[in-house]
Amino acid sequence: MIRRLLDLAKHLSEGKSFFLFGPRGVGKTSLVREVLKSQVGVVNYNLLMGETYRRFVTKTELFRTEIEFEIRKQNHAIVFVDEVQRIPALLHEVHYLIEEHKGKVQFILSGSSARKLRREEANLLAGRARYLKLHPITSVECETPLERTLQLGQLPSVIEELDQSYLEAYVDVYLREEIYQESVVRKQEVFTRFLDVAAQLSGELINFSRVGRLCGTSDNTVKEYFQILVDTLLVHRLEAWSYSAVKQLSQQPRFYFFDTGVLNAVRGEVSSEPKLSSVRAGKLFEHLVILEFIRLNDYYNRKYRFFHYRERDREIDLILNKSIKDPPIAIEIKIDGQPSSADLRMLQNFKSLHTKARCYCLTAGSSKYEENGVVVLPWKEGIQEVLLQENRV
């Protein structure tokens, strides 16, 4: 099993309860079970199991009764509830048990979607449980060849088994069926068409009206569908960056699928191996680097927010910022190991406007140098420097 950066054992040892969110297939259940093997007083509930679901869906008080029995028997219980979003009402019982049996019970509450919890105004425990995220495998956890990563992505099952068919099943069974059911939409063919269009436009500026015309539906429906993908953790939304909040809201967002392999599978391109010189490989490399930033930002608890930048005909792939008071970090992503002066010009222009900004160009090559205030680094090293050496000027 690949060793993960997220240290669940540490959180357990501190006596805390926590939510563990992440897309389906990133290894939440496997990680929790591995950690719980060395624990005592463990109680497991998988709400994907029909019998368990039916037992609690109409009588949530049974959950409380069973946990209190375990507490009396063991004097301490660690309760793992998998896919907790299937019965949001259970969180009222969790809240009661944490308060009533302080120090005697811990909960691990995993889920692949916060949508249903928010929609049903579920009790999110108001500080009584930490919020943790698990992502696909990062390059820090397991190093794989770049070409293979761009093509097959970083889901654990794909990396460990090199199983391309898993990606196709993921798209057909999970994205097109389960997410459709979660979305409570009336026309499955429209939602399926939307998924195809969303994958084609992943990483591009999104005009909701244009997407609506392509899908044969309204722009409001398109906005709702994108929000479903965000809530089910399948895409990340990047707003446009500006010091003006009003200007930020007026510009078009970009959406990035959470894994390059899943993105390729939705596009029907998982079988065509990209070459590093191709335009498609360049776009996939941009996806990969942005996803790596998002994942490691969570694991390192850096608390950066992520944006794209567009000013007239000028664009920068990624902006990191913590607050409007802090200088931004601007990042251009180039698969070419030797970026041209033209590739760096936009960053140099940005730095001339924002003199305290840190500017980087991250590449698939091995070169390291600085040119007119722009630091050029290999992508893995660059991500570590940006996230872990934030005081560098």
Side-chain angles (χ1 to χ4, degrees):
M1 180 177 175
I2 297 169
R3 185 172 180 179
R4 307 304 300 268
L5 286 174
L6 185 61
D7 191 351
L8 296 187
K10 175 178 178 291
H11 292 282
L12 276 177
S13 68
E14 294 171 351
K16 302 296 184 181
S17 295
F18 51 86
F19 288 97
L20 178 61
F21 287 116
R24 190 75 59 82
V26 297
K28 298 185 299 298
T29 302
S30 298
L31 179 60
V32 173
R33 286 178 177 167
E34 183 68 22
V35 170
L36 293 181
K37 283 196 307 187
S38 60
Q39 304 291 330
V40 296
V42 174
V43 187
N44 290 289
Y45 295 107
N46 186 346
L47 298 184
L48 286 178
M49 302 294 291
E51 179 183 353
T52 304
Y53 175 81
R54 288 189 294 272
R55 190 149 50 93
F56 295 139
V57 71
T58 56
K59 296 189 70 174
T60 56
E61 63 271 19
L62 285 176
F63 178 80
R64 184 201 321 164
T65 301
E66 292 184 15
I67 300 306
E68 288 185 323
F69 174 79
E70 293 295 331
I71 293 172
R72 288 193 298 271
K73 185 171 68 173
Q74 305 277 356
N75 199 42
H76 184 271
I78 300 175
V79 185
F80 174 35
V81 183
D82 208 357
E83 300 295 340
V84 67
Q85 80 277 353
R86 296 203 73 203
I87 310 180
L90 281 184
L91 293 174
H92 292 299
E93 305 297 341
V94 171
H95 186 160
Y96 170 83
L97 289 162
I98 290 174
E99 289 296 304
E100 188 67 17
H101 302 280
K102 288 183 178 178
K104 293 187 176 183
V105 63
Q106 292 172 262
F107 290 92
I108 304 175
L109 308 163
S110 81
S112 54
S113 168
R115 179 177 173 78
K116 192 172 182 181
L117 297 179
R118 293 195 190 101
R119 191 172 61 216
E120 299 193 14
E121 299 182 350
N123 182 343
L124 296 179
L125 306 182
R128 294 168 181 82
R130 295 175 177 175
Y131 284 70
L132 306 177
K133 292 180 182 177
L134 190 66
H135 299 277
I137 304 294
T138 67
S139 63
V140 176
E141 295 164 315
C142 180
E143 191 166 348
T144 56
L146 179 59
E147 294 92 335
R148 194 174 79 192
T149 303
L150 296 180
Q151 176 58 31
L152 297 179
Q154 294 161 291
L155 291 179
S157 292
V158 177
I159 287 179
E160 293 171 340
E161 303 171 26
L162 291 178
D163 186 1
Q164 177 179 315
S165 64
Y166 176 84
L167 289 171
E168 295 161 350
Y170 191 101
V171 170
D172 289 338
V173 175
Y174 182 52
L175 263 69
R176 300 195 192 281
E177 296 296 331
E178 289 194 41
I179 300 300
Y180 161 71
Q181 293 172 17
E182 165 107 16
S183 68
V184 197
V185 294
R186 295 179 181 176
K187 295 183 178 180
Q188 185 169 9
E189 67 275 12
V190 175
F191 186 72
T192 298
R193 196 179 312 133
F194 161 77
L195 275 179
D196 294 338
V197 172
Q200 293 295 325
L201 296 177
S202 186
E204 305 294 333
L205 290 172
I206 296 297
N207 181 309
F208 294 112
S209 297
R210 176 171 173 259
V211 175
R213 289 193 297 272
L214 291 171
C215 298
T217 190
S218 69
D219 56 346
N220 285 333
T221 298
V222 168
K223 290 177 184 178
E224 180 189 353
Y225 286 176
F226 269 117
Q227 191 59 48
I228 289 165
L229 296 184
V230 171
D231 289 344
T232 50
L233 311 176
L234 293 169
V235 303
H236 301 282
R237 176 175 178 141
L238 270 61
E239 302 291 352
W241 182 85
S242 170
Y243 275 130
S244 165
V246 174
K247 193 172 182 179
Q248 276 187 15
L249 294 173
S250 67
Q251 297 190 53
Q252 296 167 315
R254 297 179 192 265
F255 294 88
Y256 290 83
F257 271 71
F258 81 105
D259 178 74
T260 56
V262 171
L263 171 62
N264 287 331
V266 178
R267 291 170 60 105
E269 298 177 358
V270 75
S271 61
S272 55
E273 184 175 338
K275 302 300 180 184
L276 288 181
S277 59
S278 70
V279 173
R280 179 68 188 142
K283 293 301 294 183
L284 288 171
F285 181 66
E286 176 190 322
H287 273 68
L288 174 64
V289 174
I290 289 174
L291 294 175
E292 193 85 350
F293 265 112
I294 291 170
R295 296 164 186 172
L296 293 176
N297 181 63
D298 282 338
Y299 292 155
Y300 297 158
N301 195 29
R302 305 312 291 165
K303 295 182 170 59
Y304 280 110
R305 298 169 63 204
F306 298 93
F307 305 87
H308 70 88
Y309 179 78
R310 188 167 189 258
E311 187 71 30
R312 299 184 179 88
D313 59 342
R314 302 191 298 267
E315 295 188 1
I316 294 175
D317 295 324
L318 187 64
I319 301 288
L320 281 69
N321 209 202
K322 288 189 176 181
S323 75
I324 201 165
K325 298 180 297 182
D326 298 317
I329 302 171
I331 297 168
E332 191 68 15
I333 302 164
K334 297 295 181 185
I335 199 167
D336 188 346
Q338 295 290 333
S340 67
S341 296
D343 291 331
L344 304 182
R345 193 168 298 127
M346 181 60 207
L347 287 170
Q348 292 161 354
N349 291 340
F350 185 85
K351 190 164 181 65
S352 69
L353 295 173
H354 309 282
T355 55
K356 293 184 178 181
R358 293 159 55 200
C359 296
Y360 294 85
C361 180
L362 305 189
T363 78
S366 58
S367 296
K368 306 176 188 179
Y369 60 93
E370 185 169 344
E371 183 175 316
N372 296 328
V374 176
V375 179
V376 178
L377 289 172
W379 67 281
K380 294 178 186 177
E381 183 177 332
I383 291 171
Q384 295 295 315
E385 170 154 336
V386 168
L387 292 179
L388 299 182
Q389 298 182 34
E390 60 182 2
N391 293 326
R392 187 185 190 281
V393 179

